[in-house]
Amino acid sequence: MKTDVIIIGAELDAFVTSIRLNELGFNTRIFSSGKGSLLYSLGNIKILNLVETINEKNSPFSLFDNLKLNHPYNIIGKENVKKSIDWFFSLNFFNRIKINQYSYNINTLSPIGRKIPCIGLYYKQICFNDLKNQEISIVEFENHKDFHSELIAKSIKKIAKSIEIIKIQQPDDSKNSDSSSLAISFDNLASSENYFNSLKKRLNKNSSIVIFPAVLGLNKYIKVIQTAEKILNKKCVEAPTLPPSIPAIRLNLDLEKEVMEHNNLHKGSVISKAKIENNKCLYLMDNFERIFNADAFVMSNGGVLMGGIKVYSNGDIRENIFNPKIQNNNHLLKDKSSESLNALQTSGVLTNNKLNPFLDDDSIINNVFYTGRNLANWNPSTEFSGEGISIASGWYTANNIAEYMESL
Amino acid sequence: MPRIVVIGGGATGCGVARDLSLRGYKVILIEFGDLGSGTSSRFHGMLQSGARYVVSDTNYAAECYREREIISRIIPEAVELIGGVFVSLKNEEENYSQQFVKCCDKAKIPCEEIASKDLLKNEKELTSDISRVFKVPDAIINPWKLVNALAEEITKLGGEIILNHQVVSIKHKDNFVNSVEIINKNGIKKNILCDGVINASGAWSGKIANLFDQDVSLELTKGSIMVFSHRIVSLAVNRCRMPSSNDIMCPSGTVSLWGTTSQVVDNPNTTKVNPDEIQKLLKGAEELFPKIRDYRSFRAWAGVRPIVKPKNFNKDLPLPRSHSVIDHQKEGLNNILTVCGGSLTTHRSMAEDVVNQIGTKLGINKQCETSEVVISDSVKSNWNSTSYFKKIEKEKNYNDLICECELITKKDIEDVMKNEEIIDFHNIRRRVRVGFGPCQGTFCNSRLANLLVGKKYDFDIEESILNFWAERLKGSISTAYGDQAKQILLSDYIFQENFGLNLNSISTNEDEVRS
């Protein structure tokens, strides 16, 4: 089978590009070196909120005017970003996870109990405002070290009517300390009815909301939490654990499954070289010098965070496959740590408005596209925009590739 | 017996307080921050054989060797007798190595020349451009184990240790100091009556002396050190040349330390490593370790050395490292002494010297016992990676790891928390190495917070998480290249993007953060 498009990376932006390309009638081949950074997210969808003017209930799109002109959202264009987000929420293949879309930023909780603004919550993800004036039971599993029940309790104390923390045994007797094993033990639970029945006796009778750590199963999570609600007769929600987090794994698995049904996914492959001629990439080569042909190529390999872009000890920053022009903000030369960090975050690949990379002589490679954290001039940490940029740049790139293919 | 106030809780201050306690004095030790949080923990971790200074200052080198013998005997648990080598490179002059051998003989430091191929058999990362190799009995020391063991003994002997208090004034009447006023971080003042004072505050000695209108002529030099993952070397590797910058690689715990730079500074709190220092360190390290730029460096730090500057000193020679005791009698105060200079290796003999002198002043004639009394008779320290696992197996704590990098369990943390003086995460970090590993606190920080919240601690927990991260970041951002650049962005992903903390919300003058 001829490959239309090769995508490097297996993160949200890569999956989105692949799914959208399939919709537009193209197949893809994806190269992944292993895990993507999606696993460190909380499983919710953040589009935009600025840390310096953080505000509840604003629309992410009302904040676009505050962004610099070279910000990826401005390169992609507000209308395109809106379309891409709506498109993402309309995808209906999710099995393990359901995502609810909001038109404004609502607050979920972070693993330490702070508010996180987002416009997409997965099914039964904790929502800060729902906790107001409620009697709350927080459930913690013995030995599970990555759920910070005490921190969350402290944080919601101000708004809740009452809080209790209940420590209970795990579904099996393996005494798992990590979230993944715990989630799998819920999948394997013979009777979740019995398990929640025994929990019922221990909960405060008057509590209206039960907060569980977000580990209630990987594949059967929706069923598990519905059983919990039925047996306990209370609203049950999941609060995030220290990443890597289970909701992000559920999302990742769903996306990966969808992509693998229609495309080739190579895990553990490392692409090291590209052949470029007349502003066009002809083929890619992996570490074993095997050649991979396609009409277009997408770089979704996670920027500096995931090693798609490399930082050298003398301060050089390079993307070694295509050697595009890099926005290097000289992070090693800044005076303050926070300035260095921001400079490192906002360094990245410079592109034209189709997300084609510029080369040193200001020419571009027409059939190569960069997405997500590879792009320069945005900072997911101060903008709460991580998932939004991935979705928007992935969707936009797929559309641009379709346009490019038509022109061939 | 007289009551003596010792100012400074580094190796010197703790050594002085221990010496005083053993001789029967009543001792109150005042420390601005935590034990060993200043220069004592900001060096390459070497317990000197003396060979480093054998040509430039032979007497001091001989003192180092004597002290190395004593320290490793009285507190074996803090010392690893790994041995060291001095290597000269093929393009270097023979002159220094010839002098080196002669001076080692004179200072009675055992020194044996070995074939470079024998060294390279075990030290795979070293350059093969080595012409001569001299083996010496260098050792390494865990400074926190040292100061905490000294402190424990001081307390056992009836001495008092007051942490997190700054000295604000030293009061005197008729040429005799009679009290020291201290203040804690909440602004509460205390007055401590005393019959004498020993200023052992190292790089801060000048600041303390200013409180009673005295000057101490110190040269403060900042030395920066880079931390590399893994033990790149199994011995302490030194350049065989006049001591200068960029000449030591020391293994320590799970890491290797490369240092140092030397830069004159005004402020003893200066601990920020400048970008140009990192480049100099890498350039220097490349001469011995050609592939050093490919290794993961997960942070850099700096300490400020207090060197006593003799009058009319020849600027071209390295400053002498031997210590001085300054008697402030000339300036009119009869019972206050300042001890400074020297090094962690010679902290005990510095203490002996200054305590002898205060004895003479106060008419107390008691012999020093610090070289004879063993502090702890526990087993010899012999680092290996399996020792942690053995401990975890013994305590059956498989699921309780709070810090996976350094293998610190929940029980380790709870044990440390019993100490009343623990007021922040950094106090815990120094005692159990939590957050010291490659991830620099990314995964243990919030686990630690969750353990502490709601206990006896009433500090702002979010601020503590943020401060702990900010402090770790301060050291690791200066080596933000290679894998560490990825690590820093992963930490940022977790702390800012996932936890919702904002680094800009804490405003710290980074040079003033002494933690």
Side-chain angles (χ1 to χ4, degrees):
Chain A
M1 186 177 75
K2 183 184 156 285
T3 304
D4 300 322
V5 182
I6 285 178
I7 301 171
I8 301 179
E11 305 181 21
L12 186 55
D13 46 349
F15 292 141
V16 164
T17 312
S18 174
I19 293 164
R20 177 67 180 156
L21 278 168
N22 292 163
E23 269 185 14
L24 297 170
F26 302 98
N27 70 51
T28 70
R29 187 187 282 271
I30 300 180
F31 290 91
S32 153
S33 59
K35 286 182 202 167
S37 64
L38 184 56
L39 303 184
Y40 291 96
S41 81
L42 301 180
N44 54 1
I45 307 297
K46 302 188 286 294
I47 305 298
L48 187 64
N49 211 334
L50 302 169
V51 85
E52 58 268 26
T53 56
I54 202 150
N55 200 350
E56 271 181 64
K57 295 205 167 179
N58 54 13
S59 152
F61 303 104
S62 69
L63 300 167
F64 272 43
D65 296 341
N66 301 17
L67 301 174
K68 288 192 179 136
L69 281 177
N70 57 9
H71 190 283
Y73 275 153
N74 278 332
I75 295 176
I76 295 164
K78 194 169 169 176
E79 286 311 307
N80 283 325
V81 177
K82 272 186 186 168
K83 278 185 207 160
S84 70
I85 304 299
D86 289 341
W87 168 86
F88 181 80
F89 281 107
S90 72
L91 294 173
N92 56 10
F93 58 78
F94 294 113
N95 304 314
R96 298 171 182 82
I97 203 161
K98 287 184 190 169
I99 308 178
N100 297 322
Q101 183 181 9
Y102 297 81
S103 58
Y104 51 86
N105 274 313
I106 60 161
N107 286 316
T108 180
L109 281 193
S110 81
I112 62 164
R114 282 186 72 113
K115 294 180 196 170
I116 300 284
C118 56
I119 68 154
L121 289 182
Y122 66 85
Y123 180 64
K124 298 294 179 190
Q125 179 168 15
I126 192 167
C127 185
F128 190 80
N129 283 342
D130 292 352
L131 307 175
K132 274 184 186 156
N133 301 320
Q134 300 295 315
E135 298 204 33
I136 293 166
S137 302
I138 302 179
V139 172
E140 178 193 309
F141 299 107
E142 274 175 13
N143 281 60
H144 182 212
K145 65 183 169 191
D146 288 342
F147 180 53
H148 303 328
S149 54
E150 298 281 355
L151 294 177
I152 289 174
K154 189 173 180 199
S155 155
I156 61 179
K157 217 176 200 169
K158 295 160 225 155
I159 57 155
K161 196 169 159 197
S162 74
I163 300 170
E164 60 166 3
I165 297 178
I166 307 279
K167 213 174 210 174
I168 62 167
Q169 281 186 335
Q170 299 190 7
D172 62 17
D173 51 8
S174 50
K175 293 187 178 173
N176 301 304
S177 59
D178 65 300
S179 304
S180 308
S181 316
L182 246 170
I184 289 164
S185 69
F186 273 99
D187 276 357
N188 296 338
L189 195 57
S191 162
S192 44
E193 281 89 354
N194 289 348
Y195 183 72
F196 291 115
N197 263 322
S198 65
L199 166 63
K200 191 177 182 177
K201 294 164 208 149
R202 299 199 43 209
L203 293 178
N204 170 7
K205 281 200 185 78
N206 298 324
S207 70
S208 50
I209 296 182
V210 187
I211 300 176
F212 287 95
V215 296
L216 297 178
L218 260 185
N219 298 311
K220 299 181 186 165
Y221 129 82
I222 291 175
K223 208 180 134 219
V224 172
I225 204 156
Q226 281 170 349
T227 310
E229 291 207 319
K230 197 180 85 195
I231 305 279
L232 302 175
N233 198 20
K234 296 174 198 292
K235 187 176 176 188
C236 295
V237 290
E238 276 192 333
T241 60
L242 180 63
S245 68
I246 302 305
I249 294 173
R250 292 174 194 145
L251 178 61
N252 196 78
L253 284 172
D254 274 357
L255 290 165
E256 197 177 281
K257 184 168 169 259
E258 172 69 14
V259 164
M260 281 172 81
E261 265 172 34
H262 310 286
N263 306 274
N264 288 314
L265 179 66
H266 297 246
K267 282 196 180 179
S269 284
V270 180
I271 296 294
S272 52
K273 267 184 239 161
K275 174 76 178 166
I276 304 161
E277 248 176 50
N278 300 327
N279 296 343
K280 226 179 123 178
C281 174
L282 301 183
Y283 58 81
L284 295 177
M285 241 199 257
D286 73 358
N287 273 354
F288 303 100
E289 308 233 312
R290 288 180 297 194
I291 287 176
F292 299 95
N293 291 299
D295 293 325
F297 302 85
V298 184
M299 297 290 283
S300 305
N301 48 355
V304 174
L305 172 68
M306 298 310 286
I309 297 174
K310 294 199 163 46
V311 182
Y312 293 86
S313 60
N314 61 2
D316 275 2
I317 299 183
R318 291 204 293 271
E319 191 286 287
N320 289 321
I321 299 177
F322 293 103
N323 282 310
K325 212 175 199 178
I326 295 282
Q327 171 74 48
N328 183 346
N329 294 321
N330 299 314
H331 67 285
L332 290 177
L333 301 177
K334 305 286 178 204
D335 284 336
K336 281 183 71 183
S337 315
S338 54
E339 288 166 7
S340 297
L341 192 56
N342 189 52
L344 184 61
Q345 280 280 21
T346 52
S347 291
V349 175
L350 290 168
T351 68
N352 66 2
N353 62 4
K354 300 267 185 224
L355 304 184
N356 301 124
F358 283 112
L359 297 179
D360 276 340
D361 59 359
D362 281 339
S363 66
I364 55 159
I365 315 177
N366 289 311
N367 63 343
V368 172
F369 300 81
Y370 281 81
T371 63
R373 287 180 197 250
N374 279 328
L375 299 169
N377 300 317
W378 68 292
N379 185 343
S381 294
T382 55
E383 295 169 2
F384 297 104
S385 57
E387 291 82 17
I389 294 278
S390 288
I391 293 168
S393 62
W395 179 87
Y396 182 64
T397 289
N399 291 356
N400 285 334
I401 288 174
E403 207 175 277
Y404 167 81
M405 300 289 227
E406 263 173 42
S407 74
L408 287 180
Chain B
M1 286 294 281
R3 272 164 71 92
I4 308 288
V5 166
V6 178
I7 303 171
T12 315
C14 290
V16 169
R18 173 182 184 242
D19 194 325
L20 287 164
S21 303
L22 280 171
R23 297 196 213 196
Y25 289 88
K26 294 203 164 58
V27 177
I28 302 105
L29 184 146
I30 314 292
E31 161 58 38
F32 168 72
D34 193 3
L35 291 174
S37 60
T39 314
S40 297
S41 58
R42 297 177 168 277
F43 73 125
H44 42 58
M46 187 132 86
L47 185 64
Q48 305 272 3
S49 67
R52 179 171 161 79
Y53 301 108
V54 78
V55 177
S56 61
D57 192 341
T58 314
N59 287 335
Y60 175 66
E63 181 187 350
C64 281
Y65 184 60
R66 287 194 302 272
E67 289 302 313
R68 173 220 171 276
E69 293 292 283
I70 295 168
I71 304 299
S72 52
R73 193 177 67 240
I74 62 174
I75 178 159
E77 62 165 311
V79 178
E80 267 181 73
L81 298 172
I82 54 169
V85 284
F86 280 73
V87 297
S88 43
L89 300 184
K90 278 174 186 160
N91 57 2
E92 282 175 323
E93 280 185 36
E94 274 281 291
N95 196 359
Y96 186 83
S97 39
Q98 282 158 10
Q99 264 182 298
F100 179 82
V101 176
K102 271 188 213 151
C103 291
C104 277
D105 189 45
K106 205 168 142 197
K108 300 199 167 67
I109 299 170
C111 168
E112 178 202 354
E113 179 154 16
I114 59 170
S116 60
K117 68 172 186 346
D118 290 339
L119 176 69
L120 292 171
K121 236 181 261 166
N122 296 323
E123 304 295 344
K124 304 285 187 202
E125 307 302 332
L126 265 175
T127 172
S128 52
D129 282 345
I130 292 173
S131 57
R132 300 186 73 177
V133 182
F134 304 97
K135 232 181 150 178
V136 296
D138 278 337
I140 52 175
I141 187 159
N142 178 331
W144 288 302
K145 270 194 185 169
L146 173 74
V147 292
N148 284 311
L150 291 170
E152 207 174 300
E153 187 171 81
I154 294 160
T155 319
K156 257 189 227 160
L157 292 165
E160 194 184 342
I161 294 174
I162 304 176
L163 302 183
N164 304 303
H165 278 76
Q166 188 178 357
V167 175
V168 280
S169 67
I170 294 173
K171 293 171 185 158
H172 51 88
K173 202 183 166 194
D174 305 331
N175 299 340
F176 283 91
V177 172
N178 56 17
S179 73
V180 173
E181 192 181 24
I182 59 175
I183 189 169
N184 74 1
K185 279 163 191 170
N186 299 327
I188 298 165
K189 286 185 178 176
K190 254 194 246 178
N191 203 32
I192 297 170
L193 299 176
C194 63
D195 306 308
V197 171
I198 295 177
N199 172 17
S201 50
W204 290 265
S205 306
K207 289 200 163 186
I208 295 293
N210 288 342
L211 293 176
F212 48 92
D213 299 324
Q214 301 293 316
D215 271 326
V216 175
S217 175
L218 286 182
E219 174 142 315
L220 299 180
T221 61
K222 184 179 81 167
S224 296
I225 293 197
M226 280 178 88
V227 186
F228 290 94
S229 187
H230 298 96
R231 288 196 163 198
I232 296 170
V233 287
S234 61
L235 302 164
V237 177
N238 305 260
R239 290 292 290 270
C240 193
R241 65 180 186 199
M242 208 49 119
S244 63
S245 297
N246 266 319
D247 49 11
I248 304 176
M249 179 74 88
C250 253
S252 171
T254 54
V255 300
S256 303
L257 310 177
W258 171 259
T260 64
T261 56
S262 182
Q263 189 189 359
V264 178
V265 293
D266 298 328
N267 183 352
N269 293 327
T270 308
T271 54
K272 184 155 168 61
V273 181
N274 302 328
D276 60 313
E277 291 179 277
I278 296 292
Q279 295 307 321
K280 276 184 202 155
L281 283 166
L282 283 167
K283 206 159 171 255
E286 255 176 337
E287 293 177 18
L288 276 188
F289 304 93
K291 286 179 292 184
I292 197 80
R293 285 176 189 271
D294 298 338
Y295 301 155
R296 178 171 182 170
S297 169
F298 45 75
R299 66 189 286 118
W301 74 69
V304 177
R305 314 176 191 94
I307 298 175
V308 187
K309 204 173 173 182
K311 289 190 178 100
N312 310 321
F313 191 74
N314 180 353
K315 272 206 321 209
D316 297 331
L317 292 174
L319 279 166
R321 289 301 174 93
S322 46
H323 73 268
S324 296
V325 175
I326 300 162
D327 187 343
H328 300 288
Q329 191 165 27
K330 261 183 257 157
E331 291 90 1
L333 289 178
N334 287 319
N335 56 346
I336 181 162
L337 297 172
T338 294
V339 58
C340 58
S343 69
L344 184 130
T345 304
T346 59
H347 79 274
R348 194 211 60 85
S349 54
M350 292 164 71
E352 180 173 353
D353 189 0
V354 71
V355 176
N356 283 344
Q357 292 195 36
I358 202 131
T360 312
K361 284 182 163 292
L362 300 173
I364 308 273
N365 183 20
K366 290 246 185 175
Q367 289 301 305
C368 175
E369 294 175 16
T370 50
S371 62
E372 299 306 325
V373 178
V374 172
I375 296 179
S376 81
D377 48 7
S378 66
V379 278
K380 246 194 267 176
S381 162
N382 187 8
W383 182 85
N384 65 56
S385 53
T386 57
S387 58
Y388 296 99
F389 296 113
K390 279 183 191 152
K391 194 178 109 229
I392 289 164
E393 279 189 349
K394 203 175 137 198
E395 292 169 0
K396 295 197 166 60
N397 270 330
Y398 309 106
N399 286 326
D400 277 351
L401 281 183
I402 296 296
C403 167
E404 282 103 348
C405 297
E406 294 280 344
L407 302 174
I408 309 302
T409 62
K410 196 170 153 188
K411 187 172 175 292
D412 294 331
I413 309 276
E414 282 166 350
D415 285 349
V416 172
M417 279 157 54
K418 287 175 193 153
N419 182 342
E420 297 279 315
E421 300 284 359
I422 302 292
I423 60 159
D424 66 19
F425 287 18
H426 299 297
N427 301 143
I428 300 172
R429 172 173 70 82
R430 289 191 197 94
R431 283 161 185 82
V432 292
R433 297 186 64 85
V434 64
F436 273 39
C439 93
Q440 293 283 296
T442 307
F443 292 95
C444 60
N445 191 340
S446 58
R447 290 178 186 151
L448 204 54
N450 194 51
L451 271 183
L452 300 194
V453 70
K455 304 279 163 21
K456 60 180 176 175
Y457 308 92
D458 58 353
F459 48 81
D460 185 323
I461 210 78
E462 281 181 11
E463 200 180 293
S464 297
I465 296 175
L466 202 47
N467 277 329
F468 189 60
W469 175 46
E471 190 282 335
R472 295 281 87 191
L473 180 67
K474 180 189 147 197
S476 57
I477 196 83
S478 52
T479 62
Y481 62 82
D483 284 343
Q484 202 57 19
K486 293 160 76 176
Q487 180 66 59
I488 286 166
L489 288 189
L490 179 61
S491 305
D492 191 30
Y493 196 158
I494 289 180
F495 291 116
Q496 297 210 84
E497 214 178 321
N498 272 340
F499 285 1
L501 295 168
N502 178 10
L503 195 56
N504 281 318
S505 70
I506 49 163
S507 56
T508 46
N509 178 349
E510 302 202 0
D511 253 0
E512 298 290 331
V513 181
R514 216 192 82 177
S515 49

